[in-house]
Amino acid sequence: MSRKSALILSLALLATATLPSLAQDSSEHLVVYSGRSEGLIAPLLEQFVTETGITVDVRYGSTAEMAATILEEGENSPADLFIAQDAGALGALAAAGRLLPLPSDILERVPAAYRSPQNLWIGLSGRARVLAYNTTLVNEATLPASILDLASEAWAGRVGWAPTNGSFQAHITALRVLLGDDATRNWLAAMQANRTVAYDNNRAVLQAVIDGEIAAGLINHYYLYPFLDVNPALPVRLYYFPEGDAGSLINVAGVGIVNTTHQPGLSQRLILYLLGRSAQQYFATATYEYPLVDGVDPDPRLTPLNLIAAPVIDLSDLADLQTTLDMLAETGVLP
């Protein structure tokens, strides 16, 4: 999302979708603000409506827009729940006192690393930041030990990224948390000077790697698997930076209950549904994300979460998007 759009709180531009009404009791109704796309989350919510009879109205937009809208609406927000594409926006609402604490029977379903330390939000699915590389252009033995090494001469003009993408921006925020603002700013400037190629989104970055336009690109892990379903022989692999490097961030899509809700019990029921076996299996098979609940396995082609040497970080600390956007603009990464 652009710097400008991050500041726009235009409710008029946000689409509203209403799922089928089956509830016999009109009070059994939820309003969900979703930063996840309609195509991804609507099938799950429709299934929830079918199984429970609880009606659900969903307002869709980008995660940053939805979080900003809840903050702007204040105590008049109609939202019961906020579903976010990344943990940073949930952290922002938590810091503003806009999320209610979750009960232990919800929290205990997900490992502590993927939920709020203050019990204010919980992850629904995991996504890993990776370096996708073309195996005909990159020898595995030459892969860098750190994301910081991509600014070296060896990678000049050979790497792609998607600066307007929310996941990329959350990753840069993580670098700020892990390395500090000065080190992150210097790395961004070095990457820019190293002729790193900007694309519109993660999928475009991956397509450029597949086509050999660039040797490697920074993306979320799950973008590769739809391509492999069509052509398993594609010369592309995913690389996880080792030893807790900042390049191997594991972020989550998650959910929190907005403090203006009049339906905390129903809101918890929806969260429990999204953490249930069928919903978690949906994340594993439909989106190739990591399920976060024990007993539900990810796609067998994925590197297991416990084998990824991810950096240790409180995902709530990814809340400061604006400073990241300012830094990206300052270094010329964003126009």
Side-chain angles (χ1 to χ4, degrees), residues 44-89:
L44 279 179
L45 298 178
E46 289 168 358
Q47 190 64 33
F48 173 77
V49 170
T50 299
E51 293 186 12
T52 66
I54 298 169
T55 57
V56 180
D57 288 341
V58 192
R59 176 170 290 174
Y60 292 101
S62 75
T63 288
E65 287 171 334
M66 291 291 92
T69 299
I70 291 170
L71 292 173
E72 178 74 8
E73 291 174 341
E75 296 304 313
N76 295 318
S77 177
D80 294 300
L81 296 109
F82 173 48
I83 297 175
Q85 183 84 0
D86 64 75

Side-chain angles (χ1 to χ4, degrees), residues 227-238:
F227 285 94
L228 291 179
D229 287 344
V230 176
N231 181 7
L234 283 177
V236 178
R237 296 292 182 273
L238 301 182

Side-chain angles (χ1 to χ4, degrees), residues 193-206:
N194 214 30
R195 296 179 282 116
T196 302
V197 184
Y199 294 89
D200 288 340
N201 50 54
N202 282 309
R203 189 179 301 278
V205 173
L206 180 57

